[in-house]
Amino acid sequence: MIQAISAFAGTDTIAALSTSQGMGAIAVIRITGPNAINVTESIFKPLGKLSLSERPSHTAIFGSIHEENTIIDEVLVVLLKGPKSFTGEDTVEISCHGSVYIQSRILQLLIKHGARPARPGEFSMRAFRNGKMDLSQAEAIADLIASQSKAAHKLAMQQMRGGFSKQINQLREQLINFASLIELELDFSEEDVEFADRTAFRQLIKEIQHTVNSLVNSFASGNAIKNGIPVVIAGEPNAGKSTLLNRLLNEEKAIVSEIAGTTRDVIEDVCIIEGVMFRFIDTAGLRETVDTIETIGISKAYEKMGAASIIIYLFDSAVKNQEDVISEINIIAERFPSAQVIPAANKIDINRNQFNTIQGIIEISAKDNTGIDKLKERLLLESGVNSGDSEIIVTNIRHYEALIKVREALDSVIHAMNSSIPSDLIAIDIRRALHFLGEITGQITTDELLGNIFSKFCIGK
Ligand code: GDP
């Protein structure tokens, strides 16, 4: 199957619905490949004298789609002659009325006249194969389509426009220079010469390691931005957890529910604050099973808290005292060192105890909507998303895994140099680092890798 994709890519003409399945005001059907224009011409009658192939590229042409003597629809056709198209091939986009019947009729006609149905991601794969973009840019398109928040959109856009690729290519180029010097030494191995200055080389590898490390470390936040920052609201029964969650969700829900493709489950637990998506992890188990924070240890809630980047520790300010709260916060902080803990004193609308020595405490009334804006500001701050605006952030697990392998290879290079291991072995490790960098941008690919990546795309993209 994967073999078949590669064998056919770019040699035949493919067609697919590029807008979402179902009825809409309009729908767009895309055709690309060497016969895209011919195939369209066999069913499309443009208004005016010129045929489709006689028209200039990058124009929109009004006309009708026919099946023998029956008019199927009046449509607008956009003509994009290769190589100046998304795929790099001749491409036609038919905007028709969005009836499911019309969509399927037009697709069937295109197939009858020589196109074949496109596989998932096949348009993007052609764009990659035809050198219109590298692999990480093509992957960013899928992320862009899936982006649900301003922050996720920004990262996908940055990657699609090549920010990440540029950094990876710089790393590759630096390594290639040295690799070639080392390989030259191998050619002269009888003569015991050293073309590559070892001190400069060690320095270079250290610099590259530093960049690779920051990219690897950025994945945690990149992943959180893409999938939502996981937040747990922890606290005893009656602290007001459900009230607070509803408060946060209700205020932001309208925005989230407008996003196409989000499922109902997701809508309930996700909210977007200032363009950053937060995913509230259900803590229902907490309420049912615990009385004090220490007994949480044996409950499932602990497991969920372990997955959180941020834990809002919520307590009832009318019944808790400062000492207990401090010790509970310490237990949480100790147990979940990688999570940021936000202590929140709830129910400040009623009589409350003093909590003024607790560092970073936020006082709220979930019921009266007091202090909620402060809490949101804190969530944003602890998410760390808006810090370091210009830095490159890794969001894709495939890239992350490749970077880990690059890092291992570079560690071996340093180790080899420190142990005076011969150049030919150092060269192998450098080539390994180059290989994994090349896998990210697609200079090095296999059919299996491409099949894996593009099969996860939508059909029509
Ligand atoms: P949970 O068990 O932690 O989920 O707590 P709930 O959200 O169910 O709230 C428990 C009770 O506290 C309910 O009667 C809420 O109406 C009440 N409550 C929640 N937040 C506040 C608040 O800010 N002020 C007051 N006075 N009551 C609140």
Side-chain angles (χ1 to χ4, degrees):
M1 178 74 176
I2 288 159
Q3 294 279 318
I5 291 177
S6 102
F8 283 113
T11 60
D12 53 358
T13 297
I14 55 170
L17 177 71
S18 283
T19 39
S20 60
Q21 295 281 341
M23 189 178 74
I26 60 161
V28 175
I29 291 165
R30 216 157 35 151
I31 310 120
T32 194
N35 291 323
I37 299 172
N38 287 348
V39 169
T40 312
E41 269 183 326
S42 51
I43 62 165
F44 174 66
K45 282 191 189 150
L47 189 72
K49 288 196 184 111
L50 294 179
S51 70
L52 194 59
S53 46
E54 291 164 332
R55 309 273 176 151
S57 183
H58 293 71
T59 50
I61 303 128
F62 181 74
S64 49
I65 300 283
H66 290 253
E67 182 176 19
E68 289 162 11
N69 294 326
T70 312
I71 295 187
I72 303 295
D73 197 11
E74 293 192 328
V75 300
L76 196 64
V77 160
V78 173
L79 179 65
L80 303 153
K81 292 183 182 164
K84 285 191 171 175
S85 68
F86 171 71
T87 57
E89 305 163 345
D90 284 350
T91 301
V92 176
E93 291 183 3
I94 303 173
S95 298
C96 60
H97 290 103
S99 128
V100 175
Y101 172 75
I102 293 175
Q103 297 168 20
S104 61
R105 212 66 219 104
I106 296 178
L107 264 174
Q108 281 165 6
L109 284 171
L110 290 168
I111 288 157
K112 190 173 145 192
H113 287 91
R116 87 165 153 75
R119 300 185 181 94
E122 208 174 351
F123 289 88
S124 305
M125 179 145 87
R126 287 185 178 205
F128 165 67
R129 284 199 186 275
N130 292 328
K132 302 298 281 188
M133 59 184 68
D134 72 23
L135 201 50
S136 78
Q137 288 175 297
E139 287 171 300
I141 297 175
D143 290 347
L144 190 69
I145 292 171
S147 67
Q148 298 186 15
S149 67
K150 188 175 163 189
H153 166 262
K154 185 176 149 192
L155 287 185
M157 193 52 105
Q158 193 180 38
Q159 190 178 322
M160 193 178 81
R161 293 175 65 83
F164 177 58
S165 312
K166 202 169 146 202
Q167 183 146 30
I168 296 295
N169 287 333
Q170 271 169 4
L171 294 177
R172 273 197 105 221
E173 272 163 32
Q174 289 171 322
L175 269 178
I176 284 170
N177 283 342
F178 267 90
S180 50
L181 287 175
I182 293 260
E183 310 241 340
L184 200 60
E185 281 177 17
L186 297 181
D187 292 343
F188 291 86
S189 55
E190 307 281 290
E191 293 157 45
D192 197 23
V193 285
E194 272 193 9
F195 291 102
D197 173 349
R198 291 293 186 269
T199 317
F201 190 30
R202 195 172 276 123
Q203 182 58 30
L204 175 81
I205 298 288
K206 291 235 154 97
E207 280 166 24
I208 296 177
Q209 270 180 322
H210 179 76
T211 314
V212 170
N213 266 337
S214 14
L215 288 173
V216 165
N217 294 339
S218 75
F219 178 68
S221 88
N223 190 43
I225 291 170
K226 192 159 138 185
N227 299 313
I229 317 257
V231 181
V232 157
I233 304 176
E236 289 173 11
N238 261 338
K241 298 182 296 294
S242 317
T243 313
L244 174 62
L245 183 61
N246 285 335
R247 169 72 61 200
L248 290 166
L249 294 182
N250 282 339
E251 283 196 8
E252 311 290 342
K253 205 169 183 169
I255 308 167
V256 177
S257 54
E258 279 165 16
I259 298 164
T262 50
T263 64
R264 182 114 180 92
D265 296 5
V266 174
I267 291 167
E268 279 169 12
D269 291 326
V270 165
C271 80
I272 294 168
I273 300 170
E274 300 279 327
V276 178
M277 185 159 90
F278 291 87
R279 187 173 295 280
F280 288 89
I281 303 169
D282 172 33
T283 52
L286 209 107
R287 242 195 301 172
E288 286 143 27
T289 52
V290 298
D291 282 319
T292 71
I293 201 80
E294 265 144 302
T295 55
I296 297 174
I298 50 164
S299 82
K300 268 192 107 179
Y302 248 43
E303 225 175 273
K304 290 178 175 166
M305 286 161 79
S309 299
I310 299 174
I311 298 171
I312 300 176
Y313 173 58
L314 189 75
F315 59 90
D316 184 338
S317 62
V319 301
K320 279 281 191 188
N321 68 52
Q322 182 155 273
E323 231 167 67
D324 287 352
V325 170
I326 291 175
S327 90
E328 285 164 4
I329 291 170
N330 287 341
I331 292 172
I332 294 179
E334 214 169 273
R335 181 86 199 214
F336 305 105
S338 60
Q340 305 293 333
V341 182
I342 305 177
N346 192 27
K347 309 194 188 182
I348 56 161
D349 53 296
I350 49 180
N351 275 345
R352 63 181 198 266
N353 302 320
Q354 283 302 312
F355 299 94
N356 47 11
T357 64
I358 300 177
Q359 209 190 352
I361 190 137
I362 302 219
E363 297 189 312
I364 65 167
S365 165
K367 196 170 136 205
D368 289 356
N369 201 14
T370 315
I372 302 296
D373 283 347
K374 278 226 165 64
L375 180 62
K376 286 187 193 168
E377 266 172 41
R378 237 339 236 298
L379 280 169
L380 275 172
L381 183 77
E382 301 296 358
S383 77
V385 168
N386 288 331
S387 62
D389 241 10
S390 58
E391 74 189 296
I392 304 278
I393 294 177
V394 178
T395 58
N396 184 307
I397 187 142
R398 188 184 76 80
H399 303 167
Y400 169 74
E401 282 169 355
L403 285 163
I404 297 268
K405 289 183 183 143
V406 173
R407 186 163 73 176
E408 284 165 8
L410 294 176
D411 286 346
S412 306
V413 172
I414 290 283
H415 173 74
M417 283 180 21
N418 289 344
S419 332
S420 311
I421 285 172
S423 317
D424 50 348
L425 295 179
I426 299 181
I428 290 173
D429 288 327
I430 298 171
R431 267 187 244 133
R432 200 151 55 93
L434 282 170
H435 172 90
F436 290 116
L437 285 172
E439 267 198 356
I440 295 175
T441 47
Q443 273 118 332
I444 291 157
T445 56
T446 59
D447 284 345
E448 193 185 352
L449 178 73
L450 293 184
N452 268 338
I453 292 171
F454 289 106
S455 61
K456 294 188 189 107
F457 278 49
C458 325
I459 290 185
K461 186 61 234 175

